[in-house]
Every structure is written in structure tokens, then in C-alpha cells.
Amino acid sequence: MSGTVTYFEYGERELDHLRRKDKKLGAAIDRLGLIRREVSPDTFEALVDSVIGQQISAKAAATVSTRLRGLAEITPEGLHRLGAEQIKSCGMSARKASYICNIAEAAVTGAVDFASLAKADDGEVIRRLTAIKGVGLWTAEMLLIFSLQRPNVISYGDLAIRRGMMNLYGHKELGRDRFARYAARYSPYASTASLYLWELSVEL
């Protein structure tokens, strides 16, 4: 991994659009200011890290990730050579180790061409990634934002996103229809809206 930190790119164009389309979100943007969220341009590496981080704390995920990087480079070939048992020995479950092996195998065999994902549209990226056993819709959507930096992604499957919406608009529950109406309001910059909704999820 390089020492250079890359952040999700957005600016006044996206923020001005969201302010115009949604006064409550606009007020939150003005109050919270610019939000910096790191991205990982290497989609393969980002996907592996996403699997490592599922259902464990950030600190635990960092420990497992460091151990894995001590055994091999986070590349398709490096992880494919390790195999499930050595990957598991870094402190993760057998299921997670198998998922990481599946991701490495998909890359090595060409079942998923990670280099070409940048040229595929959002729906195609989701289709290709979720074809790998262990990669669900939410994980693919997070990759779209935090690796490929797609501008118009918001995940109904993300509990914190839904909680942020409920906090912002004063709802006690949030169904798919209402969620979709807000998402349409944010389009084509829903990813930037997502950054603010994550922040709002911890308020109130």
C-alpha cells in the first residue's frame, strides 16, 4: 500500500445541488462542513479489506489486515498462493477466509476483471462483484463509493444511512418507497449525500 491518502472527491457543484434540492440536508451540510472520507483506488484490495471488516470493529479489522499483509501482498496472486488455512490463521473465520479465496480465484481466473471495473456502469459492477460467493449488494455498493468513486450511490441496505435519514427528517421508520424518494432528490450526487447521512446517523 502506498503512503498517499486519497479522499472521495466532491465539491461545491455537488453541495450546491444538494442544498437546492433539499433544505434540511443543505442546513446539515453547512453545519458539518466538508467531510473527508478515505478511498482505496485498488478495487481488489478494497474488496478484500471490506470482507475482513465485516461484523468486527475497525481495530480488530486493522489487526487482521496487518497480519495478512505480513504473509503476502494483497494481490490476486499473493492471496491465491496463501490458501484458506493461512488466511484464516490471521484471525478471521473460516467463512471469511473462504470468501477472500473466492475473490482471489475470481481475479486470477479472469472470472472478474478488476482492472475493467472502472469502465463498467454501476449496475454491471454490482452484477460482476455479487457473482462472487461472499460478496453481497451492500459490499458492492460500498466499493462503488470508496474505491471507484461513483457519484450517485446510496445504499438502502446500510443501516447507518437509513438512521441518518430518519434523524434528518424526523422519521421513526423508513420504508423503501420513502427512501427512494429521497435518493431521487439527491441524484446525481447521492454518494455525497451518503457522506453526510453517515455523519448524521450518530446524532440525536
Side-chain angles (χ1 to χ4, degrees):
M1 297 177 69
S2 71
T4 303
V5 177
T6 304
Y7 296 100
F8 184 84
E9 293 182 12
Y10 69 99
E12 285 306 312
R13 178 178 62 179
E14 292 83 357
L15 296 178
D16 285 346
H17 172 86
L18 295 173
R19 289 186 185 104
R20 286 197 311 272
K21 293 291 187 177
D22 192 294
K23 300 301 182 187
K24 287 189 175 181
L25 181 57
I29 288 169
D30 291 338
R31 177 167 55 83
L32 292 168
L34 202 64
I35 293 171
R36 290 292 187 200
R37 289 292 296 265
E38 288 187 29
V39 298
S40 177
D42 184 324
T43 306
F44 177 84
E45 187 174 15
L47 185 55
V48 171
D49 281 332
S50 179
V51 170
I52 290 172
Q54 288 172 3
Q55 298 180 323
I56 61 174
S57 70
K59 184 177 179 180
T63 298
V64 173
S65 180
T66 298
R67 289 174 184 162
L68 185 59
R69 284 171 165 81
L71 293 180
E73 287 188 58
I74 307 302
T75 63
E77 295 76 18
L79 296 183
H80 197 254
R81 281 194 297 270
L82 277 186
E85 283 305 312
Q86 280 191 282
I87 292 172
K88 181 185 172 185
S89 74
C90 296
M92 69 184 81
S93 67
R95 184 170 62 177
K96 277 190 184 180
S98 72
Y99 291 165
I100 289 172
C101 286
N102 294 342
I103 293 165
E105 184 172 359
V108 167
T109 62
V112 176
D113 180 0
F114 281 84
S116 73
L117 291 177
K119 297 178 182 178
D121 64 32
D122 293 358
E124 180 63 14
V125 171
I126 289 171
R127 187 191 69 77
R128 293 186 199 177
L129 292 179
T130 56
I132 304 171
K133 186 176 181 181
V135 180
L137 175 59
W138 177 85
T139 300
E141 289 170 332
M142 294 305 102
L143 265 287
L144 285 170
I145 300 175
F146 294 117
S147 185
L148 297 171
Q149 296 207 56
R150 296 299 170 83
N152 197 34
V153 180
I154 188 165
S155 175
Y156 182 79
D158 191 293
L159 179 60
I161 289 281
R162 299 202 308 274
R163 187 184 298 123
M165 274 191 182
M166 289 188 284
N167 285 346
L168 180 61
Y169 301 113
H171 300 311
K172 294 191 181 297
E173 56 184 44
L174 187 70
R176 284 187 178 273
D177 289 346
R178 180 177 275 166
F179 181 93
R181 287 197 294 273
Y182 288 128
R185 192 181 296 176
Y186 307 149
S187 181
Y189 303 123
S191 298
T192 299
S194 293
L195 300 185
Y196 286 89
L197 292 168
W198 274 309
E199 291 293 314
L200 292 166
S201 71
V202 297
E203 296 192 347
L204 303 179

